[in-house]
Amino acid sequence: MKRNTRYIIMLTAIAALGGLLFGYDTAVISGAEQSLQVYLIDSLELGTFAHGLTVSSALIGCIVGGLISGVLSNRLGRRNTLMVAAILFFISALLSAYPEFLFFTKDEPTMGLFMAFNFYRIIGGVGVGLASGIGPLYISETSPADIRGKLGTLNNLAIIFGMSLVYFVNWRIAAGQELSWINDIGWRYMFASEAIPALLFFGLLFLLPETPRYLILKNKDKEAMKILEKVNDSKEKANAVYQEVKQTLKEKKSSNLFAYGKLVVIVGILLAVFQQFVGINVILYYAPRIFADMGADVSGSMFQTVIMGIVNFIFVLIALLLVDKVGRRMLMLVGSAGMAIGMFGVAFLSSADQMGAGALVFILIFVAFYNMSFGPLMWVLAAELFPTRIRAQVMAITVTVIWSSNLLVSSTFPSMLEFSPPMTYSIYGIVCVLAILFVWKLVPETKGKTLEEIETYWEDKSNLNNDAVKEG
């Protein structure tokens, strides 16, 4: 019996649509943030902090979504949690596009409208928080070990495609239009456009089964075996995976967060911290503004984000091709070094007041190396590093840390940039260097290993540390 490759790809593609919406929702703000500054921030005489908060308010929801993702996915299941995310995406898209709905009057901005808009963005952020944690987890728990890296990377490819798609949509909405029209109507179309993929995602989720590991965890062994037989090469292989999962669950009955030691939790948290503190979302959220500062007009700056989106997509594809060949660690190490070069290059040109074509090249270098390393591989590693009994818990913590870090970085960027652009970009470059040391010292290679073999690695690490403590 051969494994049903089409079936595996279908499951992965549908789950990865959550990644597409994740990318779409987080990047849609880049096209609208300058219009929102005019409509809400400037008209209400609010400062740079309020501007940064408005751009990054969805991240508050992402934190909430991350916090509850573990509980929801364990109680409702992986698929049903993704359905909740799809509903939240749809509601947020429509209400962010028309925040005046029911309670306010168009073109009469008030503090109430300001808070309502940010609340609607937070709703979408909760959806992002859920999808960002559960989508990779679903793919990881369904995929055969030998192609799990590639399938996990497809989720990030979907994230990047979502970002690239919304960059293109924003550009097409703004192309040829007067700035006054964009500030009045155009930004609303940008937010509303997300409702279409949200509806598609919700409908397709009805085709997904639950993951086999979740079903085994809930003692639904027959249902789990049916799925395992479809995604593995033979009944014997499916049964071997089934027995391996059952055995690890028997051996470690405790679902205590530190049942496998503290190191696995620390590694998950640091993966999240480094993914955000390198400064990627500063580039993604504020790209049109950065490019405008280089001399591009509104349409030109948005077109440059399309170019950036294409670079994103190409280098995630490179990661997809290499992740199961050269491994996760090598790509993370090379990528961190490339990111450092990109950020230090931007910092140097900023200090020389030469933020032109050269700065664009260094930004693209940074984006390229990020998207062949920390961009996709953080999600791959986060979905496969953690043992089954604590996977949802640690994944929830990791996702929460990701979005908390994202909120901190993106909301402080306008103020930091106002204080000193060279210092700001240099700080991100230093973090990239620290990321090299982190990966080199603490991140294990997971290429080609089953989730249960990775679980055994942490079990051995925990036992080794316990023995060392006893001897000490």
Side-chain angles (χ1 to χ4, degrees):
M1 183 184 77
K2 293 184 179 180
R3 67 186 174 199
N4 192 333
T5 304
R6 289 185 180 180
Y7 182 71
I8 297 170
I9 293 174
M10 182 198 77
L11 298 185
T12 303
I14 294 174
L17 272 177
L20 184 147
L21 281 157
F22 160 7
Y24 203 106
D25 191 89
T26 53
V28 67
I29 194 71
S30 68
E33 62 98 1
Q34 294 182 70
S35 298
L36 288 169
Q37 181 179 5
V38 173
Y39 185 48
L40 291 176
I41 308 301
D42 292 348
S43 62
L44 294 172
E45 298 183 350
L46 302 175
T48 55
F49 178 76
H51 179 213
L53 182 63
T54 300
V55 171
S56 55
S57 59
L59 301 178
I60 298 171
C62 294
I63 295 168
V64 174
L67 282 170
I68 65 175
S69 63
V71 175
L72 283 183
S73 66
N74 277 341
R75 292 187 178 179
L76 302 180
R78 289 25 170 170
R79 186 196 69 164
N80 291 342
T81 303
L82 289 174
M83 285 184 166
V84 173
I87 293 169
L88 294 175
F89 283 131
F90 182 76
I91 293 171
S92 175
L94 297 183
L95 292 179
S96 297
Y98 194 73
E100 297 88 353
F101 181 69
L102 290 181
F103 304 110
F104 305 98
T105 304
K106 185 177 178 295
D107 297 327
E108 294 182 13
T110 63
M111 280 302 297
L113 179 61
F114 171 78
M115 290 187 286
F117 172 80
N118 283 290
F119 177 71
Y120 299 146
R121 286 289 293 151
I122 288 170
I123 290 174
V126 175
V128 172
L130 294 176
S132 62
I134 306 307
L137 190 151
Y138 184 96
I139 294 169
S140 176
E141 291 191 347
T142 309
S143 306
D146 60 321
I147 58 171
R148 190 177 61 243
K150 289 181 180 178
L151 295 178
T153 306
L154 278 175
N155 183 71
N156 210 82
L157 193 64
I159 295 172
I160 298 306
F161 182 73
M163 291 179 177
S164 304
L165 179 62
V166 78
Y167 288 149
F168 179 79
V169 169
N170 287 350
W171 170 58
R172 290 304 304 152
I173 289 171
Q177 300 290 345
E178 295 290 333
L179 183 59
S180 59
W181 181 88
I182 297 170
N183 289 340
D184 183 37
I185 301 294
W187 66 271
R188 299 176 186 272
Y189 288 169
M190 294 174 188
F191 285 115
S193 64
E194 187 183 352
I196 297 171
L199 272 178
L200 178 65
F201 181 44
F202 181 76
L204 289 174
L205 282 171
F206 285 96
L207 300 176
L208 287 192
E210 259 306 339
T211 71
R213 284 173 174 82
Y214 175 80
L215 291 171
I216 294 171
L217 199 61
K218 296 299 180 180
N219 297 313
K220 297 180 179 180
D221 295 5
K222 289 183 179 180
E223 294 176 47
M225 276 301 297
K226 287 180 182 178
I227 300 166
L228 286 171
E229 287 176 7
K230 283 187 177 182
V231 300
N232 286 282
D233 294 318
S234 64
K235 287 186 178 181
E236 290 74 18
K237 177 64 176 175
N239 188 61
V241 173
Y242 168 77
Q243 294 297 337
E244 197 172 12
V245 175
K246 292 291 285 186
Q247 185 63 28
T248 54
L249 292 177
K250 286 179 182 178
E251 289 174 356
K252 185 68 72 169
K253 291 188 178 295
S254 172
S255 57
N256 180 283
L257 183 63
F258 300 114
Y260 295 82
K262 294 179 181 178
L263 184 60
V264 61
V265 181
I266 292 171
V267 169
I269 290 172
L270 289 178
L271 276 170
V273 168
F274 279 111
Q275 195 209 37
Q276 295 303 314
F277 273 72
V278 296
I280 182 60
N281 285 303
V282 163
I283 303 298
L284 297 179
Y285 298 164
Y286 295 96
R289 182 177 293 270
I290 293 170
F291 295 145
D293 289 344
M294 295 178 186
D297 59 18
V298 174
S299 179
S301 65
M302 288 193 182
F303 180 70
Q304 287 178 339
T305 65
V306 175
I307 296 173
M308 187 174 71
I310 293 170
V311 171
N312 287 346
F313 195 79
I314 290 171
F315 278 83
V316 174
L317 274 177
I318 291 173
L320 185 149
L321 294 173
L322 296 179
V323 65
D324 285 321
K325 293 181 179 179
V326 303
R328 285 65 156 153
R329 272 170 52 87
M330 182 58 69
L331 286 177
M332 296 277 271
L333 290 168
V334 172
S336 298
M339 287 191 292
I341 292 169
M343 273 299 182
F344 283 130
V346 174
F348 174 77
L349 292 177
S350 179
S351 66
D353 198 23
Q354 296 293 321
M355 289 291 281
L360 175 61
V361 170
F362 278 115
I363 286 174
L364 293 178
I365 288 172
F366 170 82
V367 167
F369 280 95
Y370 176 85
N371 281 292
M372 64 173 284
S373 59
F374 266 89
L377 300 187
M378 200 293 303
W379 296 107
V380 172
L381 283 166
E384 64 188 11
L385 274 179
F386 312 129
T388 299
R389 280 196 176 274
I390 63 169
R391 184 171 298 129
Q393 291 172 265
V394 187
M395 191 71 172
I397 293 171
T398 302
V399 170
T400 301
V401 173
I402 285 172
W403 296 116
S404 300
S405 302
N406 191 335
L407 176 62
L408 178 62
V409 172
S410 58
S411 63
T412 56
F413 176 70
S415 300
M416 289 176 63
L417 197 66
E418 190 175 56
F419 178 75
S420 173
M423 179 203 73
T424 301
Y425 295 120
S426 294
I427 289 172
Y428 300 142
I430 291 168
V431 174
C432 294
V433 174
L434 294 176
I436 298 173
L437 299 176
F438 161 66
V439 173
W440 181 261
K441 290 292 185 180
L442 294 179
V443 179
E445 182 56 73
T446 57
K447 180 187 73 170
K449 296 178 181 177
T450 67
L451 297 179
E452 287 63 46
E453 287 172 336
I454 299 168
E455 185 167 331
T456 300
Y457 169 85
W458 293 117
E459 178 75 25
D460 293 343
K461 274 277 187 183
S462 178
N463 291 336
L464 189 64
N465 291 335
N466 290 338
D467 291 341
V469 170
K470 288 178 182 178
E471 289 175 7

